Amino acid sequence: MEYAILKQFDQVSDYVRQVSAIADQNKEAFGFLSASAYEQMASKGQLWVAVDNAKELKGYLMFGGTMPTLKVFQVYACKSAKGHGIGTQLIDALKEYAREKYYHSIVAKVASDLSANNFWESRGFSIYRQVKGGKTKKRTINIRGYPVYENDLFGNLAKESTGIQPTGPVLARPIYALDLNLLLDVSKARAGYKKVIKIMQIGFQGEFLICITPEFKKELERQSANFSDDPILRLAEAFPVLKTDDDISAIAESLRNIVFPSRTLIRKSAQNDESDLMHLAYCISAGIGGFITREKALLRACNEIKDKHAVAILSPDELILEDNESSDISTPLNSDFSFTTSLITDEVKSFLDSFSAPKAVTDVLVDTSPTKDATSVYEARLDGSLFGIYFFQKPMKTTSSALAALYIDESCPKSTAAIDHFLETAFRYKSGFPYRLDLYIGKGQDSTEETLLKKGFFKSGNHFVKIISHIFLEAKSWPRFAKDVKSFCGFSIPEKLPAKKALQNTGIFFTDSSNKIQTFSWFDFETIVGPRFILNADRDCILVPIQENYADGLIGNVRNQLSLLSSHDKTLLLEKAYFRSTAKASLFKRGGVIAFYVSGSKSIQELIGFARITYSEVIDINEAIIKVDRQGVLSRRELTEFADSNEKIHVFTFDNFLEFDQRVSFSKAKELGLISSANLVSPEKIDFEKLKILIGEAFK
């Protein structure tokens, strides 16, 4: 029997109270949620109900989550319709929704002792891993997932080959703006305020960035007009503020028909409506990930806004499902977050077992493995709890290959930092020959997968592959490199290095063994082979002075051999931010090569390594703090030191740091004619011939 699935709020609203009552009767399976949570999800079109011909409720589905993962919160079929396939119909409809909205996977949490596991298994949801449940019931929870293969992230790099340039760094942390009412919930201890506190804790820990819009303060100032002192207004000073040079009034007006299609401008609460539109317009103009609110009109318009403007409208109940849900968060500002080398302990083995690591991975870790001594193991911990493991088997020249694995509990607030750190560890390893890196990750690690593909990995079956080049690519070395690519991956590329115009206007063709063709832009190709890059006659380089203390923070301990494990946190990032005055900002172009010159000390005056510019812009301090949060930022006080009279600074982000085999001293650089009489007190461009001289001196 077919049932109608109602999805729109005006269709579902009459059933919300009934759904809430059903959920309360099934707390053993669903836990407890307030009635308002069901109403908010219905407002977003994320509570669907199945009804029969008589319009009687026979089942429902509630889901949420943020890109790239949909999360099933509850699915239920009434006893009177058991065996009629309602659950299947609801989940199949959700799969189609995921395909249409470009989600990459659907995930559901199912207690291991529930018979519902049979249903999920039958619908193609395999167990990604198992985690401990709450302390009260002491259950084991199965994390089940369904991959949406049609929306696979493979080819993410190629999407940039159309000539459309990104508006920010390659890697980004999710940014969410908070509605004013959420802070008022906390200050007045209103229903659901604990969820808002958890959202703020997670933001402070770094899983995502939370901020406010300029309208937030304006709205507060209007409401605070009758008070001599407003503590909420003071609290707002702690949050970074979105800013934009664009005129947002036109965006706000265009949103009116979407959010408030039937409200007049003279209604009693018209000013509140205007404020809601302004909040959202700022989010759209700044291009951030989403706006967190309980405003029902905004939640109801979430799908149309997401489709049109790529900004998500999120309810606190969607991000934090249960008030009493256990959290990985302890002390948000002073947590013990660490990376260390590790032995293969029972704890490490148990952690890997929870991810069902494949035999290819576990074989290199057992005591009998002949390659065990060549495997480096690292672990990440938060407040003593293990949440990430990375290990790397050094490449062998005989096979021209290396194996690595990265297993991360992505629910941990520090998961993004761990992903970046471990991959940076892999990229900084140097070999004297080219090789293929095979990297395994756990199922459901969507953030890890997205980062891998943005950093030049190809997806290959159940793992990922990266081409590691040990030389700079030029006309002479290109044919050998093309043969290596063919032998490593089965990809055919042009036998000769394309000319500059071909690189700029077309890119580089890859053809696989099935004759499928994919074109990568110059920038994306250098992402694939990075940290090495192409050398052609038009390539230049910018020599960038950096003070020793900043070099220590961004690159590593510049006095000795670079060490990732003993340096400042920012050295662990895949992509880092460099802040400077606005002078000579025009020299810095996306994809350009830079060479860092460490200065400010009598003991160190050296050119130490290359990097690649991934983003460059003159922006104000607030925008810098928000836009490059994942790349690491200085304090507002420090940024002010670089800013001009309009509080504008130049920020560029860089990746692919490649330390020189031999550093080039200041005196040697002068002798070679690399540094002008200005003594390199500001950025200086050198041409291709000088770049070749620098490479020859640094990589003898």
Side-chain angles (χ1 to χ4, degrees):
M1 179 178 180
E2 284 291 314
Y3 294 85
I5 299 178
L6 309 181
K7 302 176 181 179
Q8 303 302 319
F9 177 71
D10 56 354
Q11 298 174 314
V12 174
S13 58
D14 291 340
Y15 299 92
V16 170
R17 185 172 296 179
Q18 192 176 351
V19 167
S20 179
I22 290 171
D24 285 348
Q25 294 167 9
N26 292 272
K27 292 178 185 177
E28 180 72 12
F30 297 148
F32 175 75
L33 282 176
S34 63
S36 64
Y38 295 95
E39 187 171 2
Q40 287 171 28
M41 299 309 290
S43 296
K44 293 195 64 182
Q46 292 174 188
L47 174 63
W48 297 349
V49 297
V51 298
D52 61 13
N53 293 334
K55 301 297 182 184
E56 291 185 1
L57 185 144
K58 294 298 178 181
Y60 72 87
L61 167 70
M62 188 167 75
F63 63 93
T66 57
M67 188 65 72
T69 306
L70 272 180
K71 295 180 180 179
V72 176
F73 296 151
Q74 297 178 14
V75 61
Y76 179 83
C78 295
K79 292 181 180 179
S80 60
K82 287 288 185 183
H84 292 187
I86 287 179
T88 296
Q89 192 173 336
L90 287 165
I91 293 301
D92 285 351
L94 185 64
K95 290 177 182 178
E96 187 57 35
Y97 175 88
R99 293 185 189 99
E100 291 174 356
K101 301 297 182 181
Y102 304 106
Y103 285 90
H104 306 133
S105 62
I106 308 171
V107 171
K109 290 183 178 180
V110 190
S112 62
D113 58 343
L114 294 179
S115 60
N117 280 281
N118 296 322
F119 165 76
W120 291 107
E121 191 72 31
S122 70
R123 301 317 307 151
F125 284 73
S126 59
I127 296 176
Y128 281 2
R129 63 181 304 227
Q130 291 186 322
V131 297
K132 292 180 180 179
K135 294 180 180 179
T136 305
K137 297 179 181 177
K138 297 181 179 179
R139 281 170 153 173
T140 297
I141 306 297
N142 293 332
I143 309 297
R144 288 186 170 273
Y146 177 86
V148 184
Y149 291 113
E150 295 89 334
N151 298 334
D152 193 279
L153 281 166
F154 177 75
N156 213 35
L157 284 168
K159 291 177 184 176
E160 292 184 13
S161 301
T162 58
I164 299 172
Q165 298 298 322
T167 58
V170 173
L171 302 175
R173 191 189 306 278
I175 303 171
Y176 301 126
L178 297 177
D179 196 351
L180 171 60
N181 285 327
L182 301 184
L183 256 66
L184 296 178
D185 288 348
V186 174
S187 68
K188 298 178 181 181
R190 296 194 296 216
Y193 80 93
K194 291 182 180 179
K195 295 183 179 182
V196 180
I197 290 175
K198 281 191 177 182
I199 289 170
M200 292 169 66
Q201 285 179 315
I202 293 171
F204 292 144
Q205 282 276 39
E207 184 175 2
F208 48 72
L209 177 68
I210 52 176
C211 61
I212 59 177
T213 73
E215 181 62 26
F216 189 106
K217 288 187 177 181
K218 291 178 183 176
E219 192 176 356
L220 265 178
E221 287 165 355
R222 287 196 298 270
Q223 296 185 17
S224 304
N226 299 324
F227 301 95
S228 58
D229 182 45
D230 187 346
I232 302 299
L233 190 56
R234 289 203 310 273
L235 179 60
E237 298 295 333
F239 293 90
V241 182
L242 284 179
K243 285 190 177 179
T244 176
D245 294 330
D246 298 335
D247 180 10
I248 66 163
S249 58
I251 300 175
E253 190 58 36
S254 70
L255 292 168
R256 187 182 306 282
N257 290 334
I258 299 174
V259 181
F260 304 122
S262 58
R263 294 185 184 179
T264 68
L265 296 175
I266 57 173
R267 64 188 293 270
K268 187 176 181 181
S269 300
Q271 192 174 44
N272 291 338
D273 295 348
E274 294 300 307
S275 187
D276 287 336
L277 295 177
M278 292 297 285
H279 280 305
L280 191 51
Y282 274 112
C283 295
I284 291 169
S285 179
I288 67 169
F291 184 55
I292 306 176
T293 182
R294 285 199 170 97
E295 168 56 49
K296 294 176 184 176
L298 293 178
L299 293 172
R300 283 196 293 270
C302 68
N303 288 332
E304 190 171 351
I305 291 169
K306 182 67 182 290
D307 291 342
K308 188 172 182 179
H309 298 289
V311 171
I313 310 297
L314 302 167
S315 160
D317 296 298
E318 184 174 1
L319 291 173
I320 309 294
L321 188 57
E322 299 180 42
D323 284 329
N324 62 349
E325 189 178 77
S326 61
S327 174
D328 290 326
I329 302 160
S330 54
T331 50
L333 296 179
N334 299 298
S335 59
D336 177 19
F337 172 45
S338 63
F339 296 108
T340 57
T341 53
S342 174
L343 300 173
I344 308 301
T345 62
D346 289 340
E347 183 185 18
V348 169
K349 290 179 180 177
S350 177
F351 184 81
L352 292 173
D353 286 344
S354 73
F355 284 91
S356 300
K359 191 173 184 295
V361 170
T362 56
D363 277 355
V364 303
L365 295 177
V366 298
D367 293 339
T368 57
S369 171
T371 60
K372 183 173 184 290
D373 290 340
T375 303
S376 301
V377 183
Y378 304 90
E379 63 180 33
R381 292 181 181 271
L382 181 63
D383 294 317
S385 297
L386 181 67
F387 75 91
I389 285 288
Y390 169 76
F391 59 87
F392 174 71
Q393 184 186 35
K394 294 178 182 178
M396 293 181 287
K397 195 169 185 178
T398 53
T399 61
S400 297
S401 65
L403 183 142
L406 174 55
Y407 292 98
I408 296 284
D409 178 357
E410 292 191 354
S411 67
C412 177
K414 290 294 185 180
S415 61
T416 299
I419 293 166
D420 280 7
H421 165 61
F422 290 141
L423 291 180
E424 179 75 351
T425 303
F427 292 162
R428 287 203 180 188
Y429 179 80
K430 288 184 178 181
S431 70
F433 53 90
Y435 64 94
R436 162 184 167 142
L437 177 63
D438 290 277
L439 177 68
Y440 290 80
I441 67 173
K443 291 181 179 180
Q445 287 182 218
D446 289 329
S447 293
T448 308
E449 181 172 343
E450 188 169 14
T451 301
L452 288 173
L453 289 160
K454 285 183 176 179
K455 298 308 297 179
F457 283 81
F458 294 95
K459 193 167 187 181
S460 176
N462 65 343
H463 66 289
F464 294 81
V465 170
K466 192 175 195 304
I467 301 164
I468 307 294
S469 175
H470 71 302
I471 55 174
F472 298 98
L473 301 177
E474 51 187 332
K476 286 184 179 180
S477 60
W478 185 272
R480 177 68 259 176
F481 171 75
K483 290 180 180 178
D484 288 337
V485 170
K486 181 72 172 178
S487 65
F488 292 167
C489 306
F491 294 149
S492 297
I493 64 173
E495 294 180 357
K496 294 182 179 180
L497 173 64
K500 180 186 175 184
K501 287 187 177 180
L503 285 171
Q504 288 178 328
N505 300 321
T506 302
I508 297 176
F509 275 77
F510 278 61
T511 306
D512 69 9
S513 57
S514 302
N515 289 322
K516 292 180 181 177
I517 294 175
Q518 191 167 356
T519 308
F520 293 93
S521 70
W522 188 347
F523 183 90
D524 290 340
F525 174 77
E526 289 187 328
T527 300
I528 292 168
V529 301
R532 302 286 174 162
F533 51 85
I534 292 175
L535 281 174
N536 59 22
D538 297 292
R539 200 82 198 234
D540 53 33
C541 174
I542 305 170
L543 305 183
V544 179
I546 182 171
Q547 293 180 21
E548 184 181 325
N549 58 325
Y550 290 122
D552 278 335
L554 280 181
I555 300 166
N557 183 353
V558 296
R559 288 185 172 273
N560 305 301
Q561 185 70 20
L562 297 182
S563 170
L564 284 175
L565 293 176
S566 61
S567 302
H568 191 279
D569 280 357
K570 290 185 181 63
T571 68
L572 312 180
L573 302 177
L574 276 171
E575 192 178 14
K576 308 173 185 69
Y578 183 102
F579 301 94
R580 54 181 303 277
S581 73
T582 56
K584 295 190 176 182
S586 61
L587 291 179
F588 296 79
K589 305 294 185 183
R590 183 173 185 261
V593 175
I594 58 177
F596 282 113
Y597 167 74
V598 179
S599 63
S601 166
K602 292 181 180 180
S603 60
I604 301 181
Q605 289 186 318
E606 301 170 320
L607 287 157
I608 65 169
F610 288 126
R612 179 183 69 159
I613 301 168
T614 55
Y615 158 80
S616 175
E617 193 174 358
V618 173
I619 53 181
D620 69 36
I621 293 173
N622 267 305
E623 188 177 358
I625 291 172
I626 293 170
K627 203 164 194 175
V628 294
D629 172 69
R630 181 166 177 177
Q631 289 68 25
V633 295
L634 303 174
S635 68
R636 172 177 287 278
R637 177 185 59 78
E638 289 171 305
L639 290 177
T640 302
E641 295 176 7
F642 299 108
D644 62 17
S645 58
N646 296 316
E647 289 202 330
K648 296 282 187 179
I649 59 172
H650 175 220
V651 56
F652 70 85
T653 59
F654 65 93
D655 66 357
N656 289 355
F657 179 73
L658 177 64
E659 184 193 6
F660 291 165
D661 289 345
Q662 295 185 96
R663 297 180 177 189
V664 180
S665 68
F666 177 83
S667 58
K668 188 64 177 179
K670 291 282 283 186
E671 180 185 325
L672 295 170
L674 301 179
I675 298 175
S676 70
S677 57
N679 290 332
L680 204 58
V681 294
S682 65
E684 189 170 313
K685 182 184 286 188
I686 61 174
D687 61 20
F688 175 63
E689 292 303 321
K690 289 184 179 180
L691 174 57
K692 285 200 301 183
I693 293 171
L694 177 57
I695 290 174
E697 189 68 22
F699 297 94
K700 287 182 177 179

